[in-house]
Amino acid sequence: MISRASLGRNAQTALRCQCHIKPNNRRNFAAAASGSFSYETGDASGIKFASRDLPGPTTHLAIVAKAGTRYQPFPGFSEGLRRYAFKSTYKRSALRITREAELLGSELLAYHTRENLVIGAKFLREDLPYFAELLGEVVSKTKYTRTSLDEDEWGYMLIVCPGHEFDEEVLRVMRLSEHALLANTAQMAITSAYGLAFHRGLGTPLHSTSSTPITKYLHEDSLEEFSKVAYARPNFAVVANGTNHTDLSKWMNEFFTDSPSSTPSDLPQLYIAPSKYHGGEERIAHDSGNNMVIAFPGSSAFTGGAYKPEVSVLATLLGGRSAIKWSSGFSLLSKITASHPHAHITTNHTTYSDAGLLSILISGNAGQIKEASAEVVKTLKAIASGSVKQEDIKKAIAAAKFKALDAGQTIEAGLELTGAGLVQGGKAFQIDEVGKSISGVTEDQVKNVAKSLLEGKATVSTIGDLHVLPFAEEIATALHIDSNPTTSNMTFAWKVSGLTFNRYLAVAARVVRRSLKEERRLQAERRGEMELRFAKWTNGKQGENKNLANANAAAMVEGAGQAQQ
């Protein structure tokens, strides 16, 4: 482990260098760099790693683990493991980690996606040994401590192990983040679409909700067990941008030797069932916004076995959101936005290791969403029939290639894509090959993929004012979905029967009493006996005194008879 003294000297040296920089017209980098955008891969004691030596004075190092919500065995495990990143280890406290990172002028990061858990850091090139050691500690030496009490010789309770991190910095923060999602109807619609499309696995929500019983499964011991599986050598990879491959290999062999060489068989295993597309429709009433998602099965990632570059071209051809300020744009769906200014349309194609989802999100005014959604389906039909101009498809191919290359050039996206490719299939994400595959897409491929999507089963998720927002069958008969969608705004049977809620409770209580055994039934019926009487006054004259219980029973029978008619 690097000593505090050497750490302090490095920080002071870096500070002095910054203070004595003289302005000039030359570009000075911390080390020589090749500038290649292709990753160089390697293996260090069973751990796959990749690096590309981009020019620049900084380095970005990350661990990409196969521990996203798709693979978690129980709810909340991926997010809980993410929250434990850079907490106390058996070598350093959380405070020391934070202070040392600040002294070196670095940034620590941790996030999770549906497939991956990413833990990394950005720092100066010369600080690679320190952060390689730190990430090695996060993987194999994190303390998942629990608060335990013991009694001393005088009978006083003592705190033996202060495990405040789980209660205060993990579980509490997770609960706070749940509230932020309650009013985000767009995120709710996307989460619903994923659940309809994939059910389990990729359909698992990215973040737990306030109604998810995470405390039933989530605690320090279970997270520690999950970390041993997620951080086993076959289940994670190390990716670096801005460092020499030889240097990375050296520190990998020194600091990543304590992680398990294989997945422990006696612990809960990762959920590794292959993705299967289902589709369907769900409608959720909400008064904070109107959103509608129309989704179809997409392509896998480039490193996956079901990669289809034409799906990315189709997503770009559809478009919706303009890249030019103060302009509606030139994509097919942007023309719909121009005629429906209170409806916003966004097309996204998200790829994973063995599947993908092409989703069209429409948000805004409920009435305009209804009109725009029908136009979206008409546009898909136009593409499938080949009535779209060849020039539009050429522009979409060029734009899709730019977006793919731009995303691959982005350090964060490149790290995750490369790490996921190494873990899933041992293949690194190579940006040049992605560009070539998109350039080879033809007009017929785009037309055929649009046709296949319309012939398959669609996913439609609607959130907002359900009185105005359309059903999928109202948009077009081309969308193949279930005729009986799941609706959280269902009409209760007692309302349909014409009963009030009080009468419904009385009927339900009577059914429960009659289902009891004889002795219990008599006791329950005696408790329900009512001696109250009432009389109806008409024109100042009192009517007949009636038993309230008998009158209620007669009214319920009469109401049930009218409902049947």
Side-chain angles (χ1 to χ4, degrees), residues 151-407:
E151 186 175 340
D152 62 8
E153 55 183 324
W154 294 283
Y156 293 101
M157 300 303 296
L158 300 176
I159 298 178
V160 178
C161 183
H164 69 283
E165 291 179 335
F166 176 77
D167 293 322
E168 298 180 11
E169 300 181 20
V170 177
L171 186 60
R172 179 173 174 270
V173 176
M174 288 176 63
R175 287 301 190 191
L176 290 174
S177 64
E178 291 170 359
H179 296 294
L181 299 174
L182 293 177
N184 191 342
T185 54
Q187 186 62 41
M188 290 175 61
I190 294 172
T191 300
S192 170
Y194 269 95
L196 290 168
F198 299 108
H199 291 184
R200 299 185 183 275
L202 288 175
T204 304
L206 191 58
H207 300 281
S208 59
T209 62
S210 56
S211 58
T212 305
I214 58 175
T215 53
K216 177 181 178 181
Y217 309 101
L218 195 66
H219 49 80
E220 297 94 327
D221 296 335
S222 62
L223 274 179
E224 184 173 11
E225 293 176 352
F226 180 57
S227 70
K228 293 178 181 178
V229 176
Y231 294 144
R233 297 185 188 183
N235 293 334
F236 77 93
V238 179
V239 187
N241 273 289
T243 188
N244 182 272
H245 190 74
T246 304
D247 294 339
L248 179 62
S249 176
K250 172 185 175 182
W251 302 120
M252 286 284 301
N253 285 296
E254 181 171 347
F255 296 129
F256 286 85
T257 57
D258 293 332
S259 57
S261 58
S262 61
T263 303
S265 58
D266 58 334
L267 299 179
Q269 301 299 301
L270 301 176
Y271 182 84
I272 55 174
S275 298
K276 181 181 178 181
Y277 180 84
H278 298 276
E281 182 179 14
E282 183 176 26
R283 294 167 61 82
I284 302 173
H286 206 290
D287 63 352
S288 294
N290 302 294
N291 293 271
M292 188 173 191
V293 174
I294 304 173
F296 304 91
S299 164
S300 71
F302 172 76
T303 54
Y307 177 62
K308 298 178 181 179
E310 58 268 25
V311 182
S312 299
V313 175
L314 176 61
T316 307
L317 178 63
L318 291 170
R321 179 177 295 177
S322 174
I324 304 174
K325 193 173 183 180
W326 311 120
S327 171
S328 59
F330 302 98
S331 63
L332 299 183
L333 296 187
S334 65
K335 300 174 184 177
I336 300 176
T337 306
S339 58
H340 299 83
H342 297 291
H344 306 282
I345 306 177
T346 305
T347 303
N348 284 311
H349 178 224
T350 311
T351 60
Y352 301 97
S353 60
D354 61 349
L357 193 69
L358 174 64
S359 61
I360 303 170
L361 172 64
I362 313 172
S363 58
N365 178 270
Q368 295 211 357
I369 289 177
K370 182 178 181 179
E371 298 173 1
S373 59
E375 295 294 330
V376 168
V377 178
K378 289 180 182 179
T379 303
L380 281 170
K381 289 182 179 180
I383 298 173
S385 63
S387 57
V388 177
K389 296 179 181 179
Q390 186 177 7
E391 181 184 356
D392 290 336
I393 296 180
K394 288 183 178 180
K395 289 191 294 185
I397 293 173
K401 180 178 180 180
F402 167 76
K403 290 181 179 179
L405 296 178
D406 184 56

Side-chain angles (χ1 to χ4, degrees), residues 16 18 39 82 89 92-93 122 134 143 158 191 195 210 245-246 324 329 378 425 462 510 514 532 559:
R16 285 196 300 269
Q18 293 177 4
Y39 280 95
R82 165 210 166 188
T89 68
R92 315 168 202 242
S93 67
K122 302 177 185 178
L134 178 60
K143 281 186 179 180
L158 300 176
T191 300
S210 56
H245 190 74
T246 304
I324 304 174
K378 289 180 182 179
T462 308
R510 185 174 60 182
R514 290 181 178 180
L532 294 177

Side-chain angles (χ1 to χ4, degrees), residues 450-464:
K451 186 177 180 181
S452 65
L453 294 183
L454 290 175
E455 291 175 348
K457 193 175 182 180
T459 295
V460 180
S461 175
T462 308
I463 293 182

